[in-house]
Amino acid sequence: MPATDYQASFLGRISIRRNQVIAMDGNHEQELQDLELFSKHVSERFAELLSSPDDIPFHALLSISWLRKLLDFFLCCEAEFKGVLMMGNDPSQISKPPLDRLIPEFLDRSVKALDVCNAVTNGLESVRHYQKLAEIVVSALEQKPIGDGQSRRAKKALTSLMSAMNVDDKECSAAKATERSWSFSRRGVSSKDRVPEHFRSVSNQVAKNWSAAKQIQAMTNNLVPPRGAEGSGLASPVYTMSVIMVFVMWALVAAIPCQERNGLSAIHFPAPKQLNWAQSIIGLHEKIGEEWKKKEKKGTAGLLDEMQKMEKLGNILMDFTDSFQFHGDITDQKAEEAAARSAELAETCRRMEEGLLPLQIQIREVFHRIVKTRTELLNALDQVGKSSSPLL
Amino acid sequence: MDECQSAIPAHDGDLHVVAAAHHIVKALGTTKNLSDDLRKILIDLDAHLSLITSNIDSKGGKGFVEVEERLKRVERKIVIWESDRIMIWDSGPKEASDYLEAVDEVQTLIDSLRGLSMNENQKQKELLHRASSLLQMAMSRLEEELIHMLVKHKQQSEPTYIPSPSSQRNVVYNESVVSLDNESAKEASSKNSCSDECGEYIVDLVPEHVIPDIKSIAKVMFASDYGQEFCEAFIGVRKEALEQHFDILENGKLSIEDLLKMEWCSLSTEMNKWTWSMKIIFGVYLMSEKRLCDQVLGEFGSVNSFCFLEIAKTTILCLLNFGEAIAMGPQEPEKLLRLLDMYETLADLVIDIDALFSEDGGSFVRLEFHKLLEGLADSVKAAFNAFGVAVSSNGSLYPFPGGGVHPLSKYVMNYISMFPEYCSTLNLLLEDQHSDVASLVSEPQCGPTASLSTSCPMACHLRSITSSLESNLHKKSKLYKDEALQHIFLMNNLHYMVQKVKGSELRPFFGDEWIRKHNAKFQQHEMNYERVTWSSVVLLLKDDNPGSSSLSKSAFKEKCKGFSIAFEEVYKNQTSWCIPDPQLREDLRISTSLKVVHAYRTFLGRNPAHVDDKCIKHTVEDVEKLLFDLFEGSPRSLRNSRRMMKT
């Protein structure tokens, strides 16, 4: 289902609900219904994400389009969450226990999420660079017939691509950047296979010691499911939304190159399975966590489906160019295979070309939304504070 | 070359035509004064015609002899550099142009070979592969040359003439609504006005003379379909260079989380750095980068804007995120001026940003900065309101000692005296809140007869702030138990406000009417003080029985004693009071003196018989002199001094 349709229907739902809220005016039963509806929508949305078929590349887990859907759902959940929290309810509730503690914690988490958004936006710049290198590979291998020149050209771009992905993966962008400084004595290497790489410095937008993994870990601080009587009140949507936020940020960091991600898979989500809405999130967390563990051993720039595909195809094509250079020529069968792989790579590049910028813009939208909600909540707290404390 | 394909002769008879054409082309090629383009066309045509001939020949078995010969020649020229440690462009212009010519030749040969139909001719295929390999070798080399060239000249052209922000950094930043002395408030408020110094100027990021070399490489790489490689190399070096410049500006790589927690002092420094960096990065570097891109890539269409965006994006995002972090932070009053700096800087740059990123790909950047500008505008408004709230709600538990000028008055007046520099921005941003405030400040200046400067939104807001300050000062004055001190306090502070308005750019916004009115106010407090303090004292000297000529000795003694005690009491109290303004202090002493000394002298003059040392503790001269000890802020006691004198 395209995201826009979904959003439209969602907005429709929320406006109906708002009318009801006004009509019933703070009725407790209505509040319970709202909460139920909220968690129902959450579980529906994440079930849809979990059931994304892996075999259709366009919708595969952690593909660009999947991430865009994830962010769309995040925005939907967020809007609904704000509705539950602030609409129709007595605004002074947010300053009473347990919300007086939970809301500031939530806001703290939000700020951390903003830094993750920025780190991921920055990481997308690296992905964009991979795309450009892969496009060179495609251009080289598109030529018919493929000769030594084309094969060398492809190999050079592939070498840059693989090492760029590898460098980003090594997570030491800050240290690496200096190592990769341009040297003047490039001519020192005079072998035939001298490969001047397509360098692009890995920009470190954030402090050297900033760690995506630690940031996410910190977001889970104090994140515990509401217990007892709290479970039926507004504490539960705050908790739900927090889990969603942590999960979304965690998934983005797993997918897209980011500074320092060691221990990402070890991050534990305190989401109990008996909570209906949490099941799909837990499922997704386990699935992605497994993937991450697999890749963590040999290193990966990120689990983004397109990038993994790029890596796989890159390896195959690298073998192809190697054997080409070794034998001086190739069999027709091999040439055909290479052409097929190159076409796949071209398709991957095309998907990136189409999807990366919208994804980046969407992350920005998430960023702005989080800021907006934070401001609104702070204002609400401020208002409550003013009206409850006597003026000097 | 596609169109040439159809020109491959079908009949032997056409061979003559081809041969004739070849001759003509060769002849034309020897002509001097040909334009480069025309010469290139002729060379291409020559190559193609000779290929057609050889192709036809090859059917006879002779093969692509000439093509192979040319390829061999050009191969030597290209391969020879592979083992050389020296860069071609460092070796000299001759070497460079020879190399480019050789690459051109390879490209011509490839085009021609491709142009021929590939009828399973093994030789042709082999030659094409050889030529492609050669081309790849050359392209790889050119890429290296390009990177070398860019890096070498990047470092040479380090701009040294851009004024450093350190000249601005000697400023004290920790403003807060409480306890500020005059000087630091003034310093802290000094506007960050480097826009006038640096403005917008374009520098040569790469020396002028290198541009043609870079362009020549671009041309040949794009012509050979290696434009992507060119772009990646170009972007790579330029992006890094920009980031280095950005680092030199000492922008701390701070997360939003850090920024929100930051102490105001450091945050203010960071805000200043941002303002500075925005001006330098956009006004100088990106403008220059854009020109460099235009110079090098101008003729390659959308590649130009793509490269520029790639070069600029990460640095821009960094600046953007800092701005966002500030815009979302709590807007405390002390941030107002720094926020105004940020807002004004961005507002000035927005047109440039729109121009730099006018293409589709850059719409994202344009949009984000417009959003940020709105965010900063809201922040300015919020901080302005917070300032107003802080002025009216600043509370004290204890009276300010001495009744002098309260730090709040100093802070507020010094702070707002910076506002006129931001007049147009504040007028713009405060416009929508204008009507509320204008009605609150029911001064005649806001009426229909008001001049433009006193009725603008900022003027009304300024007067609203000072009127909040006044009411707060009234509140503070009530903390004094002594009514006279209340008046001294108000007199001092109102006088200070008037002086500040009169002696600064604030004057036109307050207007003469305001000054006149406030002069009257503090003078009223001055009079009230005299009345409260001295009326009762002077009353002691009053003749109870105006009919009789003189008092009895005892009555006189009694009155004298009463006066002395009262005077000493006032003296003891009011020497510790404070009137910081010397003129005001002088005026008050004189008018007090006139009243008190005159009454005392008259009193003594009327009873000359009783005047002797024993009853009169203080002579008229004593009193006159002692009055000058008042309001100096150092408590004295007459009893002590008398005792000291005696012993």
Side-chain angles (χ1 to χ4, degrees):
Chain A
M1 186 177 1
T4 44
D5 290 357
Y6 196 90
Q7 217 154 9
S9 65
F10 158 68
L11 284 175
R13 249 179 275 168
I14 215 178
S15 68
I16 293 165
R17 242 163 25 78
R18 192 184 304 167
N19 294 338
Q20 286 170 348
V21 171
I22 291 161
M24 302 180 76
D25 198 29
N27 190 310
H28 185 65
E29 214 152 279
Q30 180 61 40
E31 190 187 302
L32 283 180
Q33 268 181 34
D34 280 356
L35 293 179
E36 235 165 69
L37 210 57
F38 173 62
S39 59
K40 182 168 165 273
H41 291 159
V42 170
S43 76
E44 277 169 10
R45 287 180 189 125
F46 281 88
E48 195 183 326
L49 285 167
L50 183 61
S51 66
S52 267
D54 277 341
D55 45 338
I56 305 170
F58 196 67
H59 293 299
L61 186 72
L62 294 179
S63 63
I64 293 174
S65 63
W66 187 89
L67 285 175
R68 292 188 59 193
K69 202 159 153 190
L70 174 71
L71 294 179
D72 250 342
F73 287 173
F74 174 83
L75 291 170
C76 292
C77 292
E78 213 272 347
E80 208 167 341
F81 162 71
K82 208 161 73 183
V84 169
L85 197 62
M86 290 161 86
M87 248 192 284
N89 279 307
D90 174 13
S92 66
Q93 275 211 35
I94 58 169
S95 65
K96 287 179 192 152
L99 289 190
D100 62 335
R101 175 176 52 87
L102 295 176
I103 297 278
E105 281 171 12
F106 177 78
L107 293 178
D108 199 43
R109 233 167 258 139
S110 299
V111 171
K112 290 189 165 72
L114 293 178
D115 281 322
V116 176
C117 284
N118 284 340
V120 170
T121 305
N122 202 34
L124 282 177
E125 290 299 303
S126 300
V127 181
R128 186 117 174 107
H129 178 51
Y130 309 153
Q131 179 204 334
K132 292 291 149 192
L133 292 172
E135 278 172 3
I136 296 177
V137 177
V138 171
S139 296
L141 298 179
E142 247 169 19
Q143 311 273 341
K144 299 269 161 54
I146 292 177
D148 179 58
Q150 284 77 31
S151 143
R152 276 181 197 284
R153 185 183 181 189
K155 188 186 157 84
K156 185 171 167 228
L158 280 167
T159 310
S160 301
L161 173 62
M162 294 316 212
S163 77
M165 282 177 141
N166 203 34
V167 164
D168 283 345
D169 172 49
K170 294 230 172 90
E171 320 273 10
C172 37
S173 37
K176 267 275 152 48
T178 45
E179 245 176 70
R180 304 161 100 217
S181 59
W182 311 94
S183 80
F184 283 97
S185 53
R186 301 180 69 75
R187 302 299 296 162
V189 207
S190 64
S191 99
K192 201 180 162 201
D193 291 316
R194 166 176 43 90
V195 187
E197 285 172 49
H198 303 271
F199 282 105
R200 239 197 223 193
S201 60
V202 181
S203 324
N204 39 321
Q205 267 201 336
V206 281
K208 279 178 192 171
N209 56 2
W210 192 85
S211 151
K214 280 190 193 135
Q215 187 84 352
I216 307 253
Q217 182 72 61
M219 285 176 77
T220 63
N221 283 351
N222 313 321
L223 186 56
V224 281
R227 266 176 292 228
E230 284 181 8
S232 62
L234 285 176
S236 92
V238 174
Y239 170 72
T240 306
M241 196 59 221
S242 293
V243 170
I244 294 172
M245 192 186 276
V246 175
F247 172 75
V248 169
M249 294 304 143
W250 178 83
L252 284 174
V253 168
I256 295 161
C258 253
Q259 186 172 306
E260 189 55 56
R261 294 180 291 183
N262 282 330
L264 195 62
S265 62
I267 291 171
H268 173 68
F269 278 75
K273 273 214 157 136
Q274 65 268 26
L275 289 174
N276 235 342
W277 58 266
Q279 280 169 12
S280 300
I281 295 182
I282 293 168
L284 283 167
H285 180 241
E286 279 168 0
K287 219 165 151 184
I288 298 170
E290 280 306 308
E291 282 290 299
W292 181 262
K293 267 184 220 154
K294 261 190 262 165
K295 304 279 168 179
E296 204 172 30
K297 280 178 204 139
K298 46 180 187 147
T300 176
L303 295 179
L304 185 72
D305 186 55
E306 281 79 0
M307 257 162 58
Q308 297 207 62
K309 211 149 269 167
M310 203 168 250
E311 203 176 355
K312 202 179 82 198
L313 293 168
N315 278 324
I316 295 171
L317 290 170
M318 190 73 126
D319 286 347
F320 168 76
T321 56
D322 282 345
S323 75
F324 191 98
Q325 267 167 37
F326 187 73
H327 299 294
D329 206 349
I330 37 151
T331 60
D332 284 352
Q333 191 202 339
K334 273 206 161 177
E336 257 171 50
E337 156 137 24
R341 295 295 174 223
S342 157
E344 266 183 69
L345 190 59
E347 169 64 18
T348 307
C349 287
R350 197 187 56 73
R351 276 212 298 276
M352 284 182 159
E353 179 67 32
E354 276 174 9
L356 282 180
L357 189 61
L359 180 62
Q360 205 168 24
I361 290 171
Q362 214 176 355
I363 291 172
R364 213 59 211 166
E365 202 184 330
V366 167
F367 178 95
H368 287 301
R369 179 73 75 76
I370 293 174
V371 170
K372 194 164 168 251
T373 301
R374 180 180 173 275
T375 309
E376 285 172 12
L377 279 171
L378 282 175
N379 286 343
L381 284 174
D382 200 36
Q383 286 302 319
V384 174
K386 263 183 204 156
S387 58
S388 62
S389 69
L391 279 170
L392 283 169
Chain B
M1 283 281 128
D2 284 352
E3 68 272 22
C4 295
Q5 218 161 342
S6 58
I8 291 172
H11 306 289
D12 274 3
D14 294 345
L15 263 181
H16 298 294
V17 181
V18 174
H22 204 172
H23 263 294
I24 294 166
V25 169
K26 272 194 190 303
L28 284 173
T30 59
T31 321
K32 278 170 188 155
N33 308 328
L34 281 180
S35 76
D36 284 351
D37 285 348
L38 194 56
R39 194 180 296 280
K40 175 96 169 54
I41 290 169
L42 287 174
I43 290 169
D44 288 351
L45 205 52
D46 179 24
H48 194 72
L49 287 168
S50 63
L51 261 176
I52 292 171
T53 326
S54 57
N55 191 29
I56 294 160
D57 285 350
S58 73
K59 286 174 185 161
K62 276 192 220 164
F64 294 70
V65 182
E66 199 192 331
V67 179
E68 195 168 4
E69 271 311 305
R70 286 171 63 190
L71 192 57
K72 269 186 188 157
R73 268 203 305 276
V74 82
E75 215 162 30
R76 272 197 298 277
K77 283 189 192 170
I78 287 172
V79 172
I80 197 163
W81 285 103
E82 287 302 289
S83 54
D84 210 315
R85 285 170 171 269
I86 304 164
M87 300 307 283
I88 302 169
W89 264 262
D90 286 349
S91 310
K94 174 81 171 71
E95 281 78 1
S97 69
D98 279 355
Y99 195 82
L100 285 176
E101 227 169 76
V103 178
D104 253 347
E105 172 87 348
V106 180
Q107 189 57 46
T108 310
L109 288 170
I110 290 175
D111 286 344
S112 305
L113 285 163
R114 283 235 181 89
L116 298 170
S117 57
M118 202 63 75
N119 34 9
E120 290 305 308
N121 186 319
Q122 203 50 47
K123 187 71 186 170
Q124 182 196 354
K125 210 169 159 186
E126 188 208 309
L127 284 175
L128 185 57
H129 280 172
R130 255 173 79 185
S132 302
S133 287
L134 200 56
L135 187 71
Q136 166 61 23
M137 188 184 283
M139 288 298 141
S140 211
R141 178 60 192 243
L142 285 176
E143 193 187 323
E144 240 182 290
E145 295 279 339
L146 170 73
I147 290 170
H148 173 77
M149 203 182 283
L150 285 170
V151 171
K152 183 173 145 195
H153 293 294
K154 170 190 90 178
Q155 278 160 354
Q156 281 179 356
S157 71
E158 207 63 79
T160 50
Y161 37 83
I162 293 168
S164 96
S166 58
S167 56
Q168 325 240 326
R169 224 176 291 143
N170 49 2
V171 170
V172 181
Y173 296 108
N174 47 349
E175 304 133 38
S176 88
V177 181
V178 282
S179 70
L180 255 198
D181 60 87
N182 236 345
E183 286 317 298
S184 64
K186 210 167 201 169
E187 256 190 307
S189 315
S190 74
K191 187 180 181 182
N192 193 347
S193 59
C194 67
S195 58
D196 318 304
E197 298 153 35
C198 68
E200 236 172 57
Y201 65 161
I202 295 179
V203 295
D204 286 333
L205 295 172
V206 167
E208 197 75 39
H209 68 90
V210 186
I211 305 280
D213 291 342
I214 298 173
K215 262 178 101 165
S216 64
I217 294 179
K219 230 174 181 166
V220 75
M221 286 184 79
F222 273 91
S224 307
D225 244 350
Y226 277 70
Q228 290 156 294
E229 274 94 338
F230 181 90
C231 289
E232 283 309 299
F234 187 76
I235 292 168
V237 185
R238 293 309 315 158
K239 184 172 181 257
E240 198 178 270
L242 184 66
E243 278 161 15
Q244 277 169 5
H245 291 311
F246 186 60
D247 285 344
I248 289 168
L249 295 169
E250 292 175 36
N251 289 278
K253 306 249 157 94
L254 296 160
S255 64
I256 294 179
E257 203 182 358
D258 292 341
L259 281 170
L260 289 178
K261 282 183 198 152
M262 198 175 251
E263 296 272 317
W264 164 238
C265 208
S266 328
L267 187 63
S268 169
T269 312
E270 292 299 325
M271 286 165 90
N272 263 342
K273 277 193 216 159
W274 184 88
T275 306
W276 177 256
S277 302
M278 282 293 283
K279 284 172 180 164
I280 299 294
I281 292 292
F282 280 100
V284 181
Y285 286 121
L286 286 180
M287 285 297 201
S288 310
E289 198 71 56
K290 181 73 186 159
R291 188 184 63 169
L292 180 63
C293 285
D294 284 345
Q295 283 172 331
V296 173
L297 298 163
E299 53 198 271
F300 303 108
S302 63
V303 167
N304 183 3
S305 58
F306 162 77
C307 285
F308 177 68
L309 187 61
E310 292 287 298
I311 291 166
K313 211 165 176 185
T314 42
T315 301
I316 285 178
L317 282 174
C318 238
L319 286 166
L320 189 67
N321 287 334
F322 180 88
E324 292 288 353
I326 294 301
M328 67 184 272
Q331 305 315 349
E332 288 112 351
E334 59 266 30
K335 285 189 190 166
L336 181 55
L337 294 182
R338 293 288 88 83
L339 282 169
L340 276 165
D341 283 335
M342 286 178 72
Y343 175 86
E344 286 193 345
T345 303
L346 183 55
D348 284 348
L349 288 171
V350 142
I351 303 166
D352 291 339
I353 293 173
D354 285 348
L356 284 172
F357 302 97
S358 55
E359 276 84 6
D360 272 357
S363 64
F364 165 61
V365 174
R366 288 201 311 269
L367 213 72
E368 286 293 327
F369 275 102
H370 280 275
K371 254 188 222 164
L372 178 58
L373 188 65
E374 273 173 43
L376 288 174
D378 290 342
S379 299
V380 168
K381 288 182 212 166
F384 198 97
N385 290 336
F387 179 63
V389 170
V391 171
S392 57
S393 66
N394 173 274
S396 316
L397 289 175
Y398 304 103
F400 181 65
V405 179
H406 196 276
L408 181 69
S409 308
K410 289 184 183 175
Y411 176 78
V412 171
M413 294 314 290
N414 283 314
Y415 206 65
I416 66 172
S417 68
M418 303 309 301
F419 291 0
E421 283 192 55
Y422 302 91
C423 178
S424 53
T425 302
L426 281 172
N427 276 339
L428 182 78
L429 297 180
L430 299 174
E431 185 77 70
D432 47 343
Q433 303 166 6
H434 178 202
S435 51
D436 311 347
V437 175
S439 61
L440 278 176
V441 190
S442 52
E443 306 257 344
Q445 286 88 344
C446 278
T449 54
S451 70
L452 202 63
S453 64
T454 55
S455 63
C456 67
M458 188 183 86
C460 292
H461 275 89
L462 283 175
R463 287 195 303 273
S464 140
I465 286 169
T466 53
S467 90
S468 300
L469 176 61
E470 275 177 57
S471 24
N472 194 335
L473 290 169
H474 272 281
K475 245 191 295 175
K476 288 193 194 312
S477 76
K478 298 290 178 238
L479 295 168
Y480 297 107
K481 287 194 191 100
D482 192 331
E483 195 194 340
L485 188 50
Q486 295 182 1
H487 290 298
I488 290 292
F489 175 74
L490 288 171
M491 176 196 74
N492 272 330
N493 284 279
L494 285 165
H495 176 264
Y496 180 82
M497 287 166 71
V498 173
Q499 290 306 311
K500 275 285 162 185
V501 168
K502 273 160 81 177
S504 70
E505 299 294 316
L506 290 170
R507 189 178 189 134
F509 300 97
F510 281 81
D512 291 341
E513 176 65 20
W514 185 92
I515 293 174
R516 200 189 52 72
K517 215 171 147 183
H518 284 75
N519 270 330
K521 277 190 188 176
F522 84 75
Q523 280 158 5
Q524 183 63 46
H525 287 296
E526 200 176 340
M527 276 158 23
N528 288 346
Y529 154 78
E530 284 180 18
R531 181 179 52 76
V532 172
T533 301
W534 296 109
S535 293
S536 57
V537 179
V538 170
L539 208 63
L540 291 172
L541 302 171
K542 213 184 139 197
D543 210 340
D544 296 328
N545 192 1
S548 67
S549 62
S550 66
L551 288 165
S552 69
K553 177 135 185 164
S554 65
F556 175 78
K557 219 173 163 179
E558 200 52 43
K559 274 188 183 283
C560 259
K561 201 180 165 198
F563 175 77
S564 292
I565 291 169
F567 182 80
E568 280 168 16
E569 189 59 30
V570 169
Y571 184 87
K572 193 181 130 199
N573 269 332
Q574 302 196 0
T575 43
S576 70
W577 296 3
C578 186
I579 301 178
D581 186 82
Q583 188 63 48
L584 186 64
R585 193 166 60 223
E586 202 58 30
D587 289 352
L588 189 58
R589 279 170 183 164
I590 289 168
S591 84
T592 306
S593 188
L594 278 176
K595 192 174 180 179
V596 178
V597 174
H598 176 74
Y600 194 42
R601 184 178 284 133
T602 313
F603 169 72
L604 293 180
R606 260 202 323 244
N607 303 287
H610 308 309
V611 178
D612 64 49
D613 270 356
K614 271 191 179 167
C615 341
I616 301 169
K617 213 171 170 186
H618 308 290
T619 66
V620 173
E621 288 70 30
D622 280 344
V623 169
E624 202 165 4
K625 224 175 95 209
L626 287 170
L627 279 175
F628 277 78
D629 290 340
L630 301 187
F631 313 122
E632 290 285 359
S634 47
R636 289 161 188 243
S637 165
L638 278 175
R639 272 165 227 177
N640 287 346
S641 63
R642 178 52 65 99
R643 227 173 285 138
M644 299 255 288
M645 275 160 73
K646 276 183 177 167
T647 49

